[in-house]
Amino acid sequence: MGQRAYTSRLRAQKAEQTRRAILATARDLFAERGYGRVSLATIAAEADVALNTVYSSIGGKPALILALAKDSADDEQVDLTRQQVLATDDGREILRLTAVGTGKVIERHAKTLTVLMDARNSDADVAKAADYKMGHYRGLLDVIADRLFDLGDVRAEVTREQARDIMWFYFGVSSWSTVRELGWPYPRATAWLEAQAAAALLP
């Protein structure tokens, strides 16, 4: 039983390594060439696996782009930021944690986000994956906005829904994409977005 369990774990680890390699290859190729210009055969060749392995490990291109979106949404930094925010009572510190946490997620998954944003209007499968990612990401920011609102640490004229919208305006994917396009280093972008959100939200 021990040898069988050990062998099973090795196979599972190998399968996960193969899956990760395929996803990393797909992400890089999609970002470099565009989602529509990359075939599964090309992904398999670049990942040095058989085409059938791509199908058995993940699936076709729609499954690949959705898996990439889910991987970015499930980044451990998302849960860490949520936990840190819910354990904090200071509004300014909450915004600092939000800026740092979302910045790390955006930086780690920049290629995936580029693919999702660039092709979402031209491909239904990418749009589905993008909607999953954006819904998950906005859910995190809504939790943070609600925390600020429930603490009473927002301007008197700002409603709960407005607080949620302001958080999305400053920490959503589009804002991070803009500062990346401007060539700002992440520390500068993080500090600026935190300051602007504070000015808009905090008393």
Side-chain angles (χ1 to χ4, degrees), residues 25-93:
T25 301
R27 178 198 63 215
D28 292 345
L29 289 173
F30 290 158
E32 292 168 7
R33 306 179 190 180
Y35 178 81
R37 295 189 179 94
V38 179
S39 67
L40 281 181
T42 300
I43 294 170
E46 291 289 330
D48 197 23
V49 298
L51 181 58
N52 283 342
T53 301
V54 177
Y55 279 109
S56 62
S57 295
I58 303 171
K61 282 179 67 176
L64 278 171
I65 194 63
L66 184 58
L68 287 170
K70 288 183 175 180
D71 273 7
S72 66
D74 293 338
D75 190 297
E76 62 184 11
Q77 183 64 47
V78 174
D79 283 335
L80 176 60
T81 300
R82 182 186 291 109
Q83 292 168 14
Q84 290 174 329
V85 164
L86 293 178
T88 303
D89 294 333
D90 179 77
R92 187 64 190 244
E93 177 63 7

Side-chain angles (χ1 to χ4, degrees), residues 24-167:
T25 301
R27 178 198 63 215
D28 292 345
L29 289 173
F30 290 158
E32 292 168 7
R33 306 179 190 180
Y35 178 81
R37 295 189 179 94
V38 179
S39 67
L40 281 181
T42 300
I43 294 170
E46 291 289 330
D48 197 23
V49 298
L51 181 58
N52 283 342
T53 301
V54 177
Y55 279 109
S56 62
S57 295
I58 303 171
K61 282 179 67 176
L64 278 171
I65 194 63
L66 184 58
L68 287 170
K70 288 183 175 180
D71 273 7
S72 66
D74 293 338
D75 190 297
E76 62 184 11
Q77 183 64 47
V78 174
D79 283 335
L80 176 60
T81 300
R82 182 186 291 109
Q83 292 168 14
Q84 290 174 329
V85 164
L86 293 178
T88 303
D89 294 333
D90 179 77
R92 187 64 190 244
E93 177 63 7
I94 286 173
L95 292 179
R96 187 193 70 79
L97 290 168
T98 302
V100 171
T102 57
K104 288 180 178 178
V105 172
I106 294 292
E107 185 173 17
R108 274 203 285 263
H109 301 284
K111 288 185 177 180
T112 296
L113 291 170
T114 296
V115 175
L116 293 174
M117 298 304 286
D118 287 352
R120 67 185 304 184
N121 293 326
S122 58
D123 189 285
D125 294 323
V126 179
K128 180 180 178 181
D131 287 345
Y132 177 91
K133 167 61 181 176
M134 299 311 155
H136 194 278
Y137 186 38
R138 178 141 194 180
L140 169 65
L141 295 180
D142 284 350
V143 167
I144 297 171
D146 288 347
R147 175 65 173 166
L148 285 169
F149 191 86
D150 292 340
L151 288 171
D153 217 352
V154 298
R155 293 175 178 275
E157 68 273 15
V158 175
T159 67
R160 184 184 296 272
E161 288 303 317
Q162 288 171 338
R164 290 180 171 189
D165 289 344
I166 290 169
M167 290 295 292

Side-chain angles (χ1 to χ4, degrees), residues 165-172 175-176 192-193 196-198 200-201:
D165 289 344
I166 290 169
M167 290 295 292
W168 181 249
F169 183 88
Y170 285 109
F171 299 113
S175 294
W176 282 108
W192 189 85
L193 290 171
Q196 300 310 306
L201 280 169

